[in-house]
Amino acid sequence: MNDVPTPEDPDDRRIASRDLDGTRPLEPGRQVPYGHVLHAAALLGRSPAEVVARLTALGYADIQGAGVPLPETVALDDAALTRKKNVSSFTHSWIDVSEPVSLRQLLETAEQFRRGPAHVARRLTALGYRMGGAGPLPETPDPRDVMLIRVDARGEGNWLRWGDEVSAAQVLDVSRRLSCSPHAAAARLASLGLRLPYTPGADDERLLGTGDTGAGRWLGGSVWPTVGHVLAVARETGRSPQDVVDRLKVLGLGMPDGSVPGSPDDDDLVLLSENLDGCRPWLRKDTVVGLRVEHVLRGSLATGRSPASVADRLAELGHRLHEDAKLPEAADEADIRLLATVDRSYRKGVRLEKVLRSASLTGRSPKDVAARLTALGYDLVDEVEYPDVRGTPATS
């Protein structure tokens, strides 16, 4: 390793120092990075060729080149783009001009300087760098770009590269991690030159949105499409229910949690809505305890159908009552108020204290409550004689 004397000229000392501040000199015999040359030229207002000449004169023979003619001038803002992100203040680390710029590096640089990926790619190319991919890039910056191309969130992570194909499941996963619309994530990934198994469509945002807030705002993960969601989207977009189901499958989602009718009844959306108003939130299929009798009775009053007709239609749509449930011939508000106080499913028996609680909340006698629950199919666990005494209904 050759010793290089300390330059007397202040500019030469800066050119030959690691941090371009005249202090720690570059290591003799070690290649001078191309980014160092560009940054020195920008800081001192010289051409890169002049910087190379000075370094050569100072004894630095191995100076990295881009394999193309040096730019005549370098703006400081452009030179800053050649420095890697998150580098310690004690050393400079430059993008290697001998290798194509990776998609990750491009997006990290764009994020660091709040520039659009297309702008950064143009400026680096003008300085002699080669992009690892071709094709148009977005002009607008997006702080989520770097995380969009991160495949594995654990540890150091794995990163998508130029031209990689992103699966529909990956789109849903990354949108969930970033709390953004899967459609927005897909459109941005496509604009970054990544390949998708589908082309983002104008209706996708509506198809994927649940209307809720927080983690459940978009379908995906543990939030799967309901029959009510499919029918509502079909009505709003003018598509057929089957077309909506097919598109959701393309977007990486499984089948709805029930049976989607080819020709929906006029009151299907009312029956499938939790509040029986034809609007979300939509009824979700419960394969453990089954459909609540209370919902059937409320649906009967809302639509004018008999409880049996409501239960039959909901069964056709994939929502079935528990096998032990018994429906009355007609819906009664008193039954609905009673069932609203029962927090036990048909899979669990109703104990004495639960009967007494329901009696207290409804103002009915425990004997009346026990008899009515039995008529509705509930199993009363305690073999006791329930008192036929009415109390005052509780206010809460």
Side-chain angles (χ1 to χ4, degrees):
M1 185 177 292
N2 300 324
D3 291 330
V4 177
T6 302
E8 296 183 2
D9 182 80
D11 282 354
D12 283 351
R13 283 199 298 272
R14 295 183 67 182
I15 289 172
S17 63
R18 300 182 195 177
D19 301 319
L20 298 165
D21 59 2
T23 57
R24 299 184 302 157
L26 294 167
E27 293 185 33
R30 192 168 185 177
Q31 186 179 65
V32 179
Y34 184 66
H36 180 96
V37 173
L38 298 181
H39 212 74
L43 281 173
L44 299 176
R46 297 190 179 187
S47 70
E50 289 180 287
V51 172
V52 170
R54 291 311 306 151
L55 284 168
T56 302
L58 293 170
Y60 296 96
D62 189 1
I63 303 172
Q64 188 180 40
V68 295
L70 290 166
E72 293 184 6
T73 60
V74 181
L76 190 56
D77 285 350
D78 286 349
L81 299 176
T82 67
R83 186 182 178 187
K84 288 185 177 180
K85 184 183 177 183
N86 296 330
V87 175
S88 167
S89 59
F90 295 103
T91 184
H92 283 285
S93 181
W94 310 99
I95 299 174
D96 188 355
V97 74
S98 67
E99 298 289 339
V101 178
S102 69
L103 181 60
R104 177 186 175 185
Q105 180 61 66
L106 175 69
L107 298 183
E108 285 182 343
T109 303
E111 177 190 50
Q112 181 181 5
F113 293 97
R114 300 180 183 178
R115 308 277 185 87
H119 172 85
V120 174
R122 281 195 300 270
R123 298 319 305 152
L124 288 176
T125 300
L127 294 175
Y129 289 84
R130 292 173 295 130
M131 297 300 106
L137 289 166
E139 296 287 348
T140 56
D142 191 323
R144 297 174 299 193
D145 280 349
V146 176
M147 294 308 298
L148 270 178
I149 67 166
R150 184 166 184 170
V151 179
D152 187 353
R154 297 172 297 180
E156 291 298 320
N158 296 314
W159 306 83
L160 294 170
R161 296 169 295 182
W162 296 97
D164 278 354
E165 179 166 331
V166 186
S167 69
Q170 282 179 290
V171 174
L172 294 175
D173 180 64
V174 73
S175 69
R176 189 166 58 253
R177 284 192 278 116
L178 297 180
S179 299
C180 69
S181 157
H183 171 67
R188 187 68 178 183
L189 286 166
S191 73
L192 293 172
L194 295 162
R195 294 179 294 116
L196 299 173
Y198 60 88
T199 301
D203 289 341
D204 289 349
E205 189 94 7
R206 178 63 191 91
L207 266 66
L208 293 164
T210 66
D212 297 327
T213 58
R217 184 180 179 188
W218 307 103
L219 295 177
S222 61
V223 185
W224 292 93
T226 62
V227 177
H229 174 83
V230 170
L231 297 186
V233 169
R235 183 181 62 183
E236 293 174 18
T237 61
R239 295 187 175 198
S240 70
Q242 187 59 51
D243 185 37
V244 172
V245 171
D246 292 342
R247 183 59 180 175
L248 287 172
K249 184 177 180 180
V250 169
L251 296 175
L253 292 160
M255 293 294 293
D257 63 358
S259 303
V260 177
S263 300
D265 288 354
D266 292 340
D267 50 14
D268 279 349
L269 285 176
V270 173
L271 297 179
L272 289 168
S273 56
E274 288 187 8
N275 297 320
L276 293 153
D277 56 2
C279 302
R280 53 193 176 211
W282 304 111
L283 197 63
R284 290 197 169 276
K285 185 176 181 179
D286 193 328
T287 58
V288 178
V289 300
L291 179 67
R292 288 177 59 87
V293 172
E294 178 191 355
H295 184 87
V296 173
L297 299 184
R298 290 171 57 224
S300 174
L301 294 178
T303 63
R305 292 190 181 206
S306 69
S309 174
V310 170
D312 288 344
R313 183 55 181 168
L314 285 171
E316 291 173 359
L317 297 172
H319 300 271
R320 298 182 180 278
L321 289 168
H322 190 274
E323 59 184 8
D324 293 336
K326 298 177 182 178
L327 288 175
E329 291 186 5
D332 188 327
E333 289 282 5
D335 282 343
I336 294 173
R337 287 193 295 271
L338 173 60
L339 291 170
T341 69
V342 179
D343 59 1
R344 310 294 285 177
S345 72
Y346 283 96
R347 297 178 66 245
K348 298 180 179 179
V350 181
R351 303 201 69 90
L352 171 62
E353 62 269 20
K354 298 295 183 180
V355 173
L356 297 178
R357 177 179 179 274
S358 292
S360 173
L361 291 173
T362 60
R364 300 168 72 161
S365 71
K367 183 177 181 180
D368 182 30
V369 168
R372 194 56 189 157
L373 289 178
T374 299
L376 293 171
Y378 281 95
D379 178 29
L380 273 59
V381 177
D382 301 308
E383 297 182 1
V384 298
E385 185 174 342
Y386 293 94
D388 190 14
V389 179
R390 294 176 180 269
T392 303
T395 57
S396 61

